[in-house]
Amino acid sequence: MLRPKPDETEKFMNSEQIIASLKDLMATGDAPGKVLTDPADLDTYGKDWTKIYPPKPLAIALPKTTEQVQALVKFANENQVALVPSGGRTGLSAGAVAANGEVVVAFDNMNQILDFNASDRTVRCQAGVVTEQLQNCAEDNGLYYPVDFASAGSSQLGGNLSTNAGGIKVIRYGMSRDWVAGLKVVTGKGDILDLNKDLEKNNTGYDLRHLFIGAEGTLGFITEATMKLSRKPDNLTVLVLGLNDLTNTMDVLQTFQKKIDLTAYEFFSHQAMGHVLAHGQVQAPFETEAPYYALLEFESVSDQVMDDAMALFEQCVENGWVLDGVISQSETQAQNLWQLRERISESIAPRTPYKNDISVVVSKVPGFLQEIDAVVTEHYPDFEIIWFGHIGDGNLHLNILKPEDMANEDFFEKCQQVNKWVFEIVERYQGSVSAEHGVGMTKKPYLQYTRSEAEIAYLRGIKQVFDPNGIMNPGKIFD
Amino acid sequence: MLRPKPDETEKFMNSEQIIASLKDLMATGDAPGKVLTDPADLDTYGKDWTKIYPPKPLAIALPKTTEQVQALVKFANENQVALVPSGGRTGLSAGAVAANGEVVVAFDNMNQILDFNASDRTVRCQAGVVTEQLQNCAEDNGLYYPVDFASAGSSQLGGNLSTNAGGIKVIRYGMSRDWVAGLKVVTGKGDILDLNKDLEKNNTGYDLRHLFIGAEGTLGFITEATMKLSRKPDNLTVLVLGLNDLTNTMDVLQTFQKKIDLTAYEFFSHQAMGHVLAHGQVQAPFETEAPYYALLEFESVSDQVMDDAMALFEQCVENGWVLDGVISQSETQAQNLWQLRERISESIAPRTPYKNDISVVVSKVPGFLQEIDAVVTEHYPDFEIIWFGHIGDGNLHLNILKPEDMANEDFFEKCQQVNKWVFEIVERYQGSVSAEHGVGMTKKPYLQYTRSEAEIAYLRGIKQVFDPNGIMNPGKIFD
């Protein structure tokens, strides 16, 4: 909770009074919500996947309706109580962490799919709908929700939208932002707004929908979203290529994109694949060893597309960009090839990796990666660097593994130094310090490497308009 | 220009002083801009295609650089001078009209394509680049800029983005908003901001880029934009169908979308086609008469796609939705079929049409259209109503033709009454009073039919953050 000014203490409620009030608020309406104060619940709901900041919320409110969320926000304004939204808690930037006595507003019980419209190809969801639930609903109706990532089984839609989640299909389908037809939000002032009313075309002033997407709950809380769906992709086919050189990733991308709409263009290093193979259950795609690998996916809707893909592959081999390659001949083979990319994170997890999620424009990727690699290797030659990522979007995941014989503390300290080098290079390349994970608390100290001071001043100005009392997820994105 | 408070008159410059200062400002830097005050220029640059408000600007500034635009904005703040941005002046909502002694900032001389990047498939343009110039640049590089509409030959990119222009390919490619990788803007406070730095993925706080898109120059002026390009579509094929009933437009859309990615789904009434045929140079698509017509376009990339299209067509005929149809067998035939839709506006122009650009979610189109049609026909049975539009996006263009024997004034007065009915129905259907033309001055009185009072209060709050002195395109969107 926010700290009241000392001379105003008597104006504010104490913890017991706040919890009692929350219980009253959650008891309103036809569908009563819940309040949790059990230490185990406070621990569960107070953190995300970062696990850096010890969770310490005052209480957890689990509303069932938008009106209850509104009541919480109005109460929080009147009593200067800080609110932290909580979805699937799979965030990697501590955007949904409650470490300072805040009240957590968890959307777990607002998990209903409210409406599916076949003509509009839209589905209206409460904020607590899990990504996979939305994907399944689309599939059950012969359609497709294309935003997909490792945490789809537990991440919630409200959180996905508040962090504008990306994932493995961005090159074709864009970010979460691109699939939002409409939003219902409760602003920091306690207004319920219906944003964009699910319209495809609506040019009537500033699009507040896009302001709430990616705002990490600092302007208000998303309580409902109408999501667009797509035609289900047909015969997804995967090509894994061994590349001679990093710059060849760009050559190959450009060559294929001229002819074929790629649904994914992923990248991983020889080292990354080594860990996946050592982890077991996955086979090498081919015998030839290559320093870098690219994974391409596309819809093979006709023999013509397959012929095109083979011709492009041969062209890449002739140009010396590609050393070897394999193409999936069935859905199972395609899924197996995806394992090479998808299992990287779990295969390196035991090595306590330092992780960073950064981006530059696609064409700058090779130079950018090489500079970071060089500076880390020069200063810390015993660090193992694992590169992988959504290279078709310019998004790289930098992972540095802790040397087995180095103490955790020592490693973390050195990684703070790495952060500085990395973000200085990001700034010089005009890149982003957070490609898809958001800012939260972990990237907050580095925001100015991507956003100018003038820009940040406008961000603060906008925050002031929607949340003048600073009660919505305080301490996230900026102070 | 803004009216100074009476007791502060002496603090502000008179017209001659302002013009002299503008000339000084435009003379700075290596590339001097221009100032025009000739009555013919004031007339030309002071209006758009609406031609409702008599233009009355004080002067026209034609900057060459972002820094000159910044100097103009700083000067305007210091001297309480109102600025109106001006692009290709093809707007239909009086968003770029200067009717109150404002200084027009015209981007005609900032019309350079600054950079093309083949790997990133992006092109960096000054705000005054004409849409067609961007389309041609893409084509010259084997790529495609998919936002297209009737005024592409004269509309400028800065204006397209400030109104988030749509057009005929939205169903596949989205609005102008979806093609913006980065923006350079001068805010109403005179700050130059580089928004999003052309990144595909960048989740570092509120996305100000999306705030400036569609803001009609009320928060600041866009001076540069980096636009994304797409693969050039392959063998675009057009299908024109005669439909039995309005609701069949939805059945046909849903049927085709399950199998084929449509690049356009347009609609026009029998009456609309009648005017095009009477206008000459275009032939009826087939002999069968139908009350409504749909135009579908898709990439026929293989025999399979063509077979699918034919099978879907037959399915639509069997279900009684489609009375007749024709499919293009060549690019020329496809272009000819497009004429049926594209020539509607010019064929009805001599009849002084009352025009409205409205939208609802796609599935509500039939009921929505029928209600408007019924109320107008009931009260004004001698009005001829012409419907056409981008029905795949829920966007309808309502056109009412003036009866030949009715005085202009009488007609316009009755149309004011029609406006009220139309917008009340829009509100009831949760639609938009401006699907793609923006708000400007003509839709300003009706904004509350689409945006709630609470929403409009937040729009005003945001305006205050970026343009505290209210000098940027005042009187547009809201007062």
Side-chain angles (χ1 to χ4, degrees), chain B residues 429-447:
Chain B
Y429 274 81
Q430 298 202 284
S432 177
V433 297
S434 188
E436 56 177 4
H437 294 168
V439 178
M441 291 198 278
T442 63
K443 292 289 177 77
K444 184 171 65 172
Y446 310 105
L447 185 61

Side-chain angles (χ1 to χ4, degrees), chain B residues 191-325:
Chain B
D191 291 309
I192 297 175
L193 304 182
D194 274 307
L195 301 177
N196 201 51
K197 299 176 173 173
D198 309 347
L199 298 165
E200 192 62 45
K201 279 174 147 180
N202 175 26
N203 284 346
T204 53
Y206 320 148
D207 195 331
L208 301 183
R209 172 182 50 154
H210 284 295
L211 206 49
F212 276 82
I213 297 167
E216 302 184 29
T218 62
L219 302 178
F221 296 159
I222 294 167
T223 62
E224 276 180 34
T226 303
M227 304 303 295
K228 302 183 223 179
L229 303 176
S230 179
R231 176 183 58 77
K232 211 176 158 179
D234 209 8
N235 195 26
L236 286 174
T237 299
V238 172
L239 190 59
V240 172
L241 306 174
L243 303 174
N244 199 25
D245 186 87
L246 193 56
T247 59
N248 297 150
T249 52
M250 297 297 109
D251 301 318
V252 170
L253 175 63
Q254 217 180 312
T255 303
F256 272 82
Q257 276 191 315
K258 277 198 184 140
K259 268 288 205 192
I260 294 177
D261 292 330
L262 298 175
T263 53
Y265 189 73
E266 297 285 308
F267 146 92
F268 42 95
S269 67
H270 179 69
Q271 288 85 348
M273 187 155 87
H275 282 276
V276 171
L277 298 181
H279 196 62
Q281 295 178 298
V282 184
Q283 301 229 315
F286 35 72
E287 285 190 8
T288 317
E289 288 207 345
Y292 301 101
Y293 298 87
L295 183 153
L296 293 70
E297 188 192 65
F298 56 93
E299 290 182 88
S300 183
V301 288
S302 67
D303 293 344
Q304 182 63 51
V305 176
M306 208 58 156
D307 292 348
D308 284 347
M310 294 315 295
L312 295 168
F313 167 72
E314 275 159 33
Q315 188 185 326
C316 291
V317 172
E318 274 166 30
N319 288 335
W321 303 331
V322 165
L323 299 170
D324 206 345

